[in-house]
């Protein structure tokens, strides 16, 4: 260990080394970040301000919008700064802090999407008992559980990162301090950390995905039993927005954290998908496909 040179900061390679492309990327991602903040903030204000939306579905949707603001704000400001900076550095402690809040926001969002799937199941399969099944205390418990799971998932994985010693190369082949990207820089064996991250991600999937699969299997069965095509379309429309978000988020995030890190461009594209693009698309998906949100937005604008 005495032959290694330890360092106090990392260099983030980002998405491109070409200064002209970085300028274009800065404009692009600044626009994405501002639209993400504006879209999710408007969604929260509409849900709070319109009494017609004070039901469990929109209670969860308001928390999802808040999580999307947090998730994108963990990485985007640093990414935008690096696009304009010659020295694209971040301190080791700053990197670990970013990794902590990245995992916390991502895990909490995955857990919240699972709770929202159960909410859609209750709305479609038990419409007359919906307000009784999805009562306020249960909704509060489910949202709190999502935040607690995110905190524990992030805490466990980031506590063990302190056992690693970073030396030699300090260049991260990524645009942010995502945990799998730190493992190749360790001069101590990160096998235990990789196993912990893959295992905890798999465990998270086992906790959340069965509820999503159960909910949508029952929803599909209930929709197929509806005789009128108009009734089927109406029932499916209440779930299509959430199902789209689940596929966008889970499909990429689980692949990223269960598969081994390679530092490839594909991994950076996948990370952008679930940490940046999904947060941008969520308010658009829920507002464009939801007549109640569109009507509430029109009332608020008037």
């Amino acid at each position: 260990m005495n032959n290694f040179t330890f360092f106090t900061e990392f260099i983030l390679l980002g998405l491109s080394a070409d200064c002209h492309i970085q300028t274009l990327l800065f404009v692009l991602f600044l626009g994405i970040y501002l639209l993400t903040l504006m879209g999710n903030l408007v969604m929260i204000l509409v849900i709070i301000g319109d009494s017609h939306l004070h039901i469990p579905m929109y209670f969860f949707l308001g928390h999802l919008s808040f999580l999307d603001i947090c998730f994108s704000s963990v990485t985007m400001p640093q990414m935008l700064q690096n696009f304009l900076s010659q020295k694209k550095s971040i301190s080791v402690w700053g990197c670990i802090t970013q990794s902590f809040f990245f995992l916390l926001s991502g895990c909490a969002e995955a857990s919240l999407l699972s709770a929202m799937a159960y909410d859609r199941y209750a709305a479609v399969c038990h419409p007359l008992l919906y307000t009784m099944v999805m009562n306020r205390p249960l909704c509060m418990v489910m949202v709190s559980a999502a935040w607690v799971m995110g905190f524990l998932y992030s805490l466990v994985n980031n506590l063990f990162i302190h056992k690693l010693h970073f030396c030699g190369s300090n260049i991260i082949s990524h645009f942010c301090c995502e945990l799998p990207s730190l493992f190749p820089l360790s001069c101590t064996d990160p096998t235990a950390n990789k196993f912990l991250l893959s295992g905890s991600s798999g465990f998270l999937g086992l906790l959340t995905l069965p509820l999503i699969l159960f909910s949508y299997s029952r929803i599909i069965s209930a929709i197929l039993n509806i005789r009128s095509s108009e009734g089927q379309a109406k029932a499916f429309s209440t779930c299509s927005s959430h199902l789209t978000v689940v596929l966008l988020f889970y499909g990429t995030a689980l692949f990223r954290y269960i598969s081994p890190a390679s530092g490839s461009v594909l991994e950076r594209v996948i990370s952008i998908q679930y940490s940046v693009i999904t947060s941008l698309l969520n308010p658009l998906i829920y507002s464009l496909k939801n007549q109640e949100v569109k009507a509430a937005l029109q009332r608020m604008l008037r």
Side-chain angles (χ1 to χ4, degrees):
M1 296 295 292
N2 293 330
N3 294 328
F4 289 113
T5 302
F6 294 89
F7 47 82
T8 58
E9 63 180 17
F10 293 112
I11 304 297
L12 294 166
L13 284 185
L15 301 176
S16 174
D18 190 306
C19 61
H20 299 293
I21 294 178
Q22 286 184 9
T23 303
L24 293 175
L25 289 174
F26 172 81
V27 174
L28 173 64
F29 281 96
L30 178 62
I32 290 174
Y33 185 49
L34 293 177
L35 288 173
T36 299
L37 294 180
M38 184 174 67
N40 285 288
L41 187 58
V42 167
M43 184 69 74
I44 292 171
L45 292 176
V46 169
I47 292 170
I48 292 174
D50 196 300
S51 59
H52 296 86
L53 302 184
H54 292 176
I55 59 175
M57 173 183 173
Y58 298 105
F59 174 77
F60 289 120
L61 184 54
H63 281 273
L64 180 66
S65 293
F66 177 72
L67 261 173
D68 283 333
I69 291 174
C70 295
F71 203 7
S72 59
S73 296
V74 169
T75 57
M76 290 290 280
Q78 179 73 44
M79 187 198 302
L80 293 172
Q81 177 187 330
N82 287 345
F83 283 142
L84 300 180
S85 174
Q86 291 293 328
K87 188 179 181 183
K88 309 175 190 306
S89 62
I90 182 172
S91 68
V92 170
W93 282 105
C95 190
I96 293 174
T97 301
Q98 187 183 69
S99 170
F100 176 84
F101 286 105
F102 189 93
L103 289 182
L104 191 157
S105 302
C107 177
E109 183 156 337
S111 304
L112 187 62
L113 289 174
S114 179
M116 292 173 72
Y118 182 77
D119 171 74
R120 293 298 81 212
Y121 154 74
V124 173
C125 298
H126 304 285
L128 299 179
L129 300 175
Y130 176 60
T131 54
M132 294 179 61
V133 173
M134 298 303 297
N135 54 69
R136 184 75 175 184
L138 178 61
C139 293
M140 292 295 294
V141 167
M142 294 177 98
V143 168
S144 300
W147 282 102
V148 169
M149 286 178 64
F151 177 79
L152 293 176
Y153 174 79
S154 181
L155 182 66
V156 167
N157 282 287
N158 279 279
L159 278 178
F160 278 85
I161 201 71
H162 293 289
K163 294 183 176 293
L164 300 180
H165 297 282
F166 298 102
C167 55
S169 175
N170 65 337
I171 298 175
I172 299 176
S173 300
H174 207 20
F175 62 88
C176 69
C177 291
E178 204 172 355
L179 207 54
S181 301
L182 299 180
F183 295 151
L185 306 184
S186 174
C187 53
T188 52
D189 187 9
T191 302
N193 298 78
K194 292 179 181 178
F195 180 78
L196 177 64
L197 183 62
S198 297
S200 58
S201 300
F203 182 69
L204 175 64
L206 290 175
L207 287 178
T208 56
L209 280 177
L211 184 58
I212 294 174
L213 295 174
F214 165 79
S215 299
Y216 275 101
S217 65
R218 298 298 299 270
I219 287 170
I220 292 171
S221 177
I223 290 175
L224 293 177
N225 288 329
I226 299 174
R227 295 183 178 180
S228 67
S229 58
E230 182 181 348
Q232 288 182 340
K234 185 178 179 181
F236 181 74
S237 67
T238 64
C239 307
S240 58
S241 300
H242 179 260
L243 185 59
T244 303
V245 172
V246 167
L247 293 175
L248 283 173
F249 184 83
Y250 267 89
T252 51
L254 282 180
F255 173 80
R256 174 76 171 103
Y257 278 85
I258 292 179
S259 61
S262 63
S264 64
V265 175
L266 177 63
E267 284 186 351
R268 281 175 262 182
V269 173
I270 290 173
S271 295
I272 288 174
Q273 166 61 46
Y274 62 76
S275 64
V276 176
I277 302 302
T278 302
S279 298
L280 169 68
L281 294 180
N282 281 353
L284 296 176
I285 291 170
Y286 280 104
S287 60
L288 293 177
K289 289 191 173 186
N290 193 306
Q291 296 299 325
E292 291 178 331
V293 172
K294 284 195 266 188
L297 183 58
Q298 290 172 359
R299 286 192 294 269
M300 187 181 78
L301 291 174
R302 285 200 299 267

